[in-house]
Amino acid sequence: MYDQQVRAGARQDSLGHVGTEHTIVQAGRLGVRVDDREVELGPGDYVGFDARLPHRYTALEGVVRSVLLLQYRSDQRLHSSRPHAPSAPGEG
């Protein structure tokens, strides 16, 4: 989960990655482009999409504050905050 801020007139581009992205706008107006579809979001608006698709966030009006949640299946994790525990004898 991220406290996302996009500066006025700025853009954040992604070529895509694993998981699902969920964004809820808190302040400002946010343009979201996923593949070839675009939506404009204001405070309280939500968008969720397959993050494997190319996507872009653009601040359309002032600084945009939003909450960004990246959702992964357990087999899609990019990083682990803890090392793998060794298997107990007899576990495979």
Side-chain angles (χ1 to χ4, degrees):
M1 184 177 299
Y2 298 92
D3 178 15
Q4 182 182 42
Q5 291 190 26
V6 184
R7 293 185 321 262
R11 220 167 76 172
Q12 295 176 349
D13 292 284
S14 174
L15 296 175
H17 51 84
V18 297
T20 302
E21 261 184 55
H22 305 272
T23 301
I24 300 172
V25 175
Q26 297 170 307
R29 299 217 52 83
L30 182 66
V32 181
R33 181 179 178 91
V34 179
D35 211 12
D36 62 351
R37 297 183 64 200
E38 290 189 53
V39 295
E40 185 175 320
L41 307 175
D45 290 339
Y46 161 85
V47 67
F49 57 88
D50 182 343
R52 292 177 297 179
L53 299 170
H55 50 280
R56 170 187 303 155
Y57 292 102
T58 305
L60 301 175
E61 182 181 302
V63 174
V64 175
R65 292 198 60 225
S66 60
V67 174
L68 171 65
L69 173 70
L70 298 176
Q71 178 184 11
Y72 303 103
R73 294 188 324 255
S74 61
D75 63 332
Q76 291 181 316
R77 296 194 107 169
L78 297 176
H79 316 297
S80 178
S81 58
R82 59 182 181 200
H84 275 303
S87 297
E91 291 183 3

